[in-house]
């Protein structure tokens, strides 16, 4: 009898182990699917925003482009989200538009990115992907990747702005915190939420 019990026990343990292994594989598959979708949406949003920004900078300089960002960025963000069937947006530790302020999880990831960059990490290696409880017992996948400043960005986010640019920003964003950035520094991040 003892022998049989051992066999039963062993097969129970083996069954449990293979179920755990299967669950881990499922989780990994799901994670890589979520990451792929998040990165695709991020690229779409980045491309759409950069396209509009560059076109309006060329056509009318930074003053015209401020209006483009102000009037179009939220709409472009919403449309990209709808098309991708998820929520993609931008956030930052210091925001221009208060609607882009980070929540607790985003704040944590932004601080982590900032510390890693200060320590010399390559921005390409930085990302966040996590399955989190969204508060009502349901789980969502969350993803973030850093946005660094290029030369163009400094005209509206740098240390010294042209007076008319500073005035136009102050008029539309009285609580603007998004100036004083150096070249290649952490301006913010793309942030994605995928509901399961
Ligand atoms: C012509 C001025 C202008 C330029 C150039 C510009 N931005 Fe912005 N940026 C804005 C405005 C205006 C907003 C607020 C948009 C809104 O209301 O959602 C903004 C918002 C952002 C945000 C969202 C977070 C926040 O602060 O609200 C990020 C991230 C950002 N910009 C990054 C960049 C990067 C990176 C570049 C360079 C590729 C850049 N910007 C170039 C004007 C500019």
């Amino acid at each position: 009898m003892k022998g049989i019990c051992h066999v039963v026990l062993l097969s129970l343990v083996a069954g449990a182990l293979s179920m755990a292994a299967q669950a881990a594989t499922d989780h990994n598959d799901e994670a890589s699917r979520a990451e792929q979708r998040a990165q695709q949406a991020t690229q779409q949003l980045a491309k759409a925003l950069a396209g509009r920004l560059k076109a309006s900078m060329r056509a009318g300089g930074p003053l015209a482009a401020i209006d483009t960002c102000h009037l179009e960025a939220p709409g472009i963000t919403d449309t990209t989200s709808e098309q991708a069937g998820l929520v993609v947006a931008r956030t930052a530790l210091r925001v221009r538009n208060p609607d882009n302020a980070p929540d607790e999880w985003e704040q944590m990831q932004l601080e982590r990115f900032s510390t890693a960059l200060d320590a010399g990490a390559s921005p390409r290696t930085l990302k966040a992907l996590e399955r989190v409880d969204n508060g009502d017992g349901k789980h969502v996948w969350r993803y973030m990747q850093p946005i660094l400043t290029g030369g163009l960005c400094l005209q509206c986010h740098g240390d010294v702005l042209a007076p008319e640019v500073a005035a136009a920003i102050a008029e539309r964003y009285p609580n603007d915190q998004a100036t004083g950035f150096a070249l290649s520094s952490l301006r913010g991040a793309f942030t994605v939420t995928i509901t399961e």
Side-chain angles (χ1 to χ4, degrees):
M1 270 320 273
K2 214 172 161 196
I4 290 174
C5 284
H6 276 157
V7 170
V8 170
L9 193 64
L10 276 177
S11 65
L12 277 178
V13 169
L17 282 177
S18 86
M19 271 165 70
Q22 186 58 44
T25 312
D26 288 351
H27 183 82
N28 288 343
D29 286 353
E30 217 186 295
S32 56
R33 261 200 310 278
E35 182 170 357
Q36 217 177 2
R37 285 184 64 197
Q39 284 178 344
Q40 244 165 32
T42 295
Q43 273 161 23
Q44 266 158 19
L45 180 58
K47 212 170 128 194
L49 288 171
R52 284 304 292 136
L53 177 67
K54 283 178 191 153
S56 56
M57 289 285 272
R58 264 198 308 272
L63 275 184
I66 289 169
D67 261 338
T68 304
C69 290
H70 176 62
L71 299 171
E72 294 183 26
I76 291 173
T77 304
D78 290 349
T79 309
T80 310
S81 296
E82 278 162 31
Q83 282 169 353
L86 41 72
V87 180
V88 58
R90 295 180 302 168
T91 187
L93 289 170
R94 290 174 12 225
V95 291
R96 175 150 294 165
N97 183 338
D99 290 348
N100 295 329
D103 65 19
E104 210 178 310
W105 188 83
E106 289 167 333
Q107 172 97 19
M108 208 163 69
Q109 306 310 324
L110 284 162
E111 281 166 5
R112 193 170 63 77
F113 290 161
S114 171
T115 308
L117 287 169
D118 286 350
S122 153
R124 285 175 192 283
T125 63
L126 294 178
K127 64 177 179 189
L129 178 72
E130 204 178 321
R131 187 174 178 267
V132 297
D133 189 334
N134 74 351
D136 58 7
K138 291 205 181 103
H139 286 91
V140 293
W141 283 97
R142 301 200 70 176
Y143 172 87
M144 275 174 78
Q145 82 180 48
I147 300 174
L148 270 72
T149 47
L152 178 76
C153 320
L154 302 186
Q155 293 192 43
C156 296
H157 295 295
D159 270 328
V160 187
L161 305 192
E164 66 276 16
V165 170
I169 291 172
E171 193 186 318
R172 290 161 186 80
Y173 304 94
N175 300 315
D176 181 34
Q177 302 175 313
T179 56
F181 288 90
L183 188 64
S184 301
S185 62
L186 183 69
R187 172 63 264 271
F190 289 106
T191 176
V192 179
T193 304
I194 304 176
T195 311
E196 284 179 336

